Amino acid sequence: MTIVSGKTTNGFTYEGDYEHANSDRVTWTATYRRSGVFFGMRHGRINELRDIPMKEVDEVVKDDIEYTWVQTT
């Protein structure tokens, strides 16, 4: 399991983790907060990562975590 964290464009911070479900897919979960107050959780799956270098997977996961939250708030 790999841990990621960041801040969304709409001002929420998140802490999440992801793990490889198989060679070309990861599953992730994230908890979102604003000013330390819990606002929600989301989870997701990213497919077709076979051609993505391992060092770039973190950024792909962070982008998906961002998109999932910003799209729903």
Side-chain angles (χ1 to χ4, degrees):
M1 188 173 311
T2 303
I3 297 173
V4 293
S5 62
K7 188 170 186 173
T8 64
T9 55
N10 60 354
F12 291 84
T13 58
Y14 64 83
E15 293 180 6
D17 58 61
Y18 69 90
E19 62 185 350
H20 292 272
N22 65 28
S23 62
D24 70 339
R25 178 175 53 206
V26 298
T27 56
W28 61 262
T29 59
T31 302
Y32 300 87
R33 299 179 187 278
R34 180 176 274 166
S35 301
V37 177
F38 174 81
F39 268 81
M41 291 183 73
R42 298 287 187 271
H43 65 276
R45 180 176 68 195
I46 306 170
N47 297 311
E48 300 179 20
L49 292 174
R50 190 173 310 253
D51 296 329
I52 305 289
M54 289 300 283
K55 62 183 178 183
E56 293 180 23
V57 172
D58 269 9
E59 291 305 314
V60 171
V61 171
K62 287 179 177 184
D63 288 347
D64 201 48
I65 289 171
E66 159 92 12
Y67 178 77
T68 300
W69 184 255
V70 172
Q71 192 71 12
T72 60
T73 58

